[in-house]
Amino acid sequence: MNRTSVIAGAFLLFIYSVEAQTKRLDLQQSLGQKASLTKSINHVQGWADAQHYIEYDVQTKQRYQVHVKTGERSAYTPPPTSDVEVFVENNDVFIRQGTDAPRQLTQSPTVEEKNPTLSPDNQYVAFTRNNDLYAVNVSDGREVRYTTDATDVIYNGWASWVYFEEILGRASRYRAFWWAPDSKTLAFMRFDDTQVPMFPIYGSTGQHGYVEQTRYPKAGDPNPEVKVGFVPVAGGPVVWADFNTEDDQYFGQPYWSFDSGNLMVQWMNRDQTNLKFYQVSPKTGAKKEIYDERQEAWIDLSHDERITYLKDNKHYILKSDKTGWAHYYLYRLDGTLVNPITEGKWQVSSLELVDEKKKTIYFTARKEHSATVDLYRVDYDGKNLRRLTFGDYTHQVAVSPDGNYFITTYSNVSTPPRTALLDNKGKLIKELADSKADDFDDYIYAKTELITIPTPDGYALPATITWPTDFDETEPHPVIFSIYGGPDAGSVRNTWKGTANQHWANEGIIQISVDHRGSGHFGKEGVALMHRNLGHWEMVDYITAAKWLKSKPWVAKDKLLITGHSYGGYMTCLALTKGADYFDYGIAGAPVTSWELYDTHYTERYMDTPQDNPEGYKQGSVLTYADQYKGVLRILHGDMDDNVHMQNTIQLVDALTDRDRHFELMIYPGSRHGFSREKSNYDRKERYRFYYQYLLEKPVPEALRQ
């Protein structure tokens, strides 16, 4: 080949390379509606045993067990104990065992059974009916009725609303009963909502509409009275735990001991500053205090892991943020502290495995960086702490039952998810999957970075920022600032963001998410700053971020839009009122607008009662700053929202209309705190319209109207 041919070939190669690197995402790809930049990979769904992990094949839609050493794959069959299903159909309880046809267990088609729950020995199914607690014998269908005093305000085994929402969690589906491991006893909570105020929610369907009434305690209102009871599986008198039901108190998620000898009950005062654990005898109801924690700000009575009982029936592991950072502690069952297992200015996340033979725990934590998660191993005594994962990634892990292996699915803002198998020393055994598309490098796409924004008093606020695809830092760009903002609820994570943000990047919009000092990145120390003054530090830090953005030549000075839902809706409304000198537009979904309108347990945890903290409630209310409103705010709310009532939006609308201020309002009929698919589709198009009208100042492309 002569020199001319070589030059010509090189030139053609250069042209091909440039063309390959200028491939652009189409509209569906850039909105995240069609796969791009990544490809589907099989999902790891835990471990079948110590030598086989469970893999879900996205092509065949089947689950397989895969040998860690040979890679041999075979069909996965769940163990027999997980092959029994109980469910409700036509208001009655049914059971399906293995491949057998479903068998009906109850006969009450006019009254619905709720939360059917199989006993550990598979002999009984407990459920609630008309707010009373029952069980049915699987073998002969004989029913046992445990309680008889239910009314429209007395619930046995069925949670009062505030417990469902804030303490037991929505995943409980209102279930408030728990089988003992030996299947001989049921523990349950009894709720008396007599003194709890009724909140009406108006449904507009039909000629006359209807009213849905919920016993919803707002900040400062009476809470439900709660009792903890025990009943033997065969029936008999209820044994009540020895608590004074008239005390202003909360009970958290209870935990049975391994031997079923006692129930550990979490107790907390109304101010949520004192947490106690009691061992309660199911036979006598007698209680014994085994733990007492006090904090000046508050203690989270969460339904997440707090107590992990060890099988030695001598110890438990406690998760607590009492030092200002969440850590694990080893306790004896009598409440004696053995020692802290972890410590330092970093946060543990979840306990993945306890290896009792080796006296070692495996856990995830945000230690290397507050926006990443890694897997660690440490001995019970706190020694030999070791990081097992690798790199600057956020890891989702599944540890084998014996602790010898783990699988991680990991990513960061610039790396699509990958899956790898490692041993318990952190040694890579095998890369299992990479979701990076084969033509990934052919595309030009908007890059996302993890950055920090400094505050005047020394905080480095974590943020993720997605730059416009063809970013010209000499030109001003509009900004979409997405937030949530609740206490210890940060949204900035060093993970792959997909392509749903690419369209707006193609349109020249900068997209940013920022977490404030109380978001959890700075431990409970940071979160506790929010005590009695919700809205203050969040707004201080978001304004700092807004100032930082608007100080840049690449940010348009009059096109900063902030958006969020629920607490994020609250912050958005506050930004367009209290922070209106710094934010220009906002889209607020289901916002709290004044804290006395929200429930007791959540609100008082941070704010105390309105009676005790009137100034804090005033300063934290959007309504206080209605006179400062400017810009354009779009408010969205479901008229059947039973969490953040539409009352919040109506009161803000009243304040703005009285002041003759322009805003946009959209009510979604029949919608709760989230919107149905049809309403969400409409809402998405309206969001597009808002962005194009105010940030881009041009018509919505026809393709986005479809």
Side-chain angles (χ1 to χ4, degrees), residues 46-96:
W47 291 79
D49 55 47
Q51 296 296 315
H52 296 85
Y53 62 87
I54 304 167
E55 181 180 75
Y56 177 77
D57 192 308
V58 296
Q59 300 299 324
T60 66
K61 311 297 184 187
Q62 300 293 322
R63 288 190 295 175
Y64 298 89
Q65 59 182 30
V66 185
H67 196 279
V68 291
K69 293 183 178 179
T70 66
E72 181 180 352
R73 212 166 71 141
S74 58
Y76 172 68
T77 302
T81 54
S82 64
D83 207 21
V84 180
E85 179 187 10
V86 292
F87 57 93
V88 173
E89 187 174 293
N90 298 325
N91 290 342
D92 279 312
V93 176
F94 287 75
I95 187 168
R96 179 189 290 112

Side-chain angles (χ1 to χ4, degrees), residues 93-152:
V93 176
F94 287 75
I95 187 168
R96 179 189 290 112
Q97 295 172 294
T99 59
D100 295 346
R103 182 162 55 91
Q104 186 171 344
L105 294 180
T106 61
Q107 308 288 332
S108 60
T110 61
V111 182
E112 182 182 5
E113 277 83 52
K114 298 175 180 178
N115 291 318
T117 304
L118 192 65
S119 62
D121 64 4
N122 293 353
Q123 298 302 305
Y124 284 85
V125 176
F127 58 89
T128 58
R129 178 194 292 149
N130 281 341
N131 295 334
D132 270 321
L133 182 62
Y134 294 76
V136 58
N137 188 299
V138 170
S139 61
D140 60 18
R142 180 178 57 86
E143 278 191 12
V144 184
R145 183 171 183 173
Y146 299 118
T147 64
T148 59
D149 62 341
T151 67
D152 61 340

